Amino acid sequence: MLVHIPEVLTAEQVRYCRDLMARANWVDGRITAGHQSAQVKRNLQLPENTPEAQELAEIVLDALGRHPLFMSAVLPKKIFPPLFNRYDAEGEMNFGSHVDNAIRTVPGTSVRVRTDVSSTLFLSSPEEYDGGELMVEDTYGTHAVKLPAGDMIVYPGTSLHHVTKVTRGSRIASFFWTESMISDVTRRAMMFDLDISIIRLNGDHPEHPSVVSLTSLYHNLLRQWAAT
Ligand code: NI
């Protein structure tokens, strides 16, 4: 299940983040890679412990908490602090096929996050660069993703994925993982479908008695399946 989450950040927030990043010190992206992915990862990252990276992560986390579509699609339990990466045409940066590490420990803590859902929040607009598509493999084939600045894609952490070579400009993004209250991808997708259907029904026929019964069904299913 790939879900496009539009307007996570406003144009003004994207500009603010980009200004912060322009002043920051970028390092080799292999600092957070596992053994297999380190061999295919060619990009730059902001070190997590810098003031810029921490302020940027706060901005993204705050926006996520206020985005109903993210909450509905992901049902977050724990969010790994967002990271920031850059792929430049100079150096033909790309990231070969890999699956993200299953478990991530939040640096400086003993908090472990199971990476049920992967997210990429685009901070460059598509006009700024060529290449740099996020390619995600799922049961229905491979999907190429390139979104407007401020928009985000979420996809199952179990998916093989890669980022194609950037051939012009720079591709800047935030990426992070979420442990969901529902680890099973099929159950999570059904809950999302149900939630979206209830919202649509409530919009079209707010007085319909099924709005109440379906909402109750949603919460009772969540009670059955959620690990909090
Ligand atoms: Ni990855």
Side-chain angles (χ1 to χ4, degrees), residues 37 95-96 98-101 118 134 155 159 161-162 175 177:
S37 56
F95 196 164
H98 66 281
V99 165
D100 297 335
N101 284 0
S118 298
L134 170 67
Y155 57 98
S159 320
H161 57 279
H162 66 278
F175 65 104
W177 303 275

Side-chain angles (χ1 to χ4, degrees), residues 45-66:
Q45 249 172 251
L46 288 185
E48 295 148 85
N49 51 6
T50 62
E52 291 93 352
Q54 284 170 0
E55 184 180 352
L56 288 161
E58 284 301 320
I59 293 170
V60 175
L61 282 174
D62 184 59
L64 293 173
R66 286 185 282 103

Side-chain angles (χ1 to χ4, degrees), residues 46 122 164 204:
L46 288 185
F122 289 77
T164 65
D204 294 345

Side-chain angles (χ1 to χ4, degrees), residues 6-19 59 121-125 128 148-151:
E7 293 169 14
V8 172
L9 296 182
T10 63
E12 194 179 330
Q13 284 176 310
V14 170
R15 259 196 308 278
Y16 182 82
C17 291
R18 291 284 298 267
D19 283 349
I59 293 170
L121 167 59
F122 289 77
L123 295 168
S124 302
S125 62
E128 290 180 85
D151 284 19

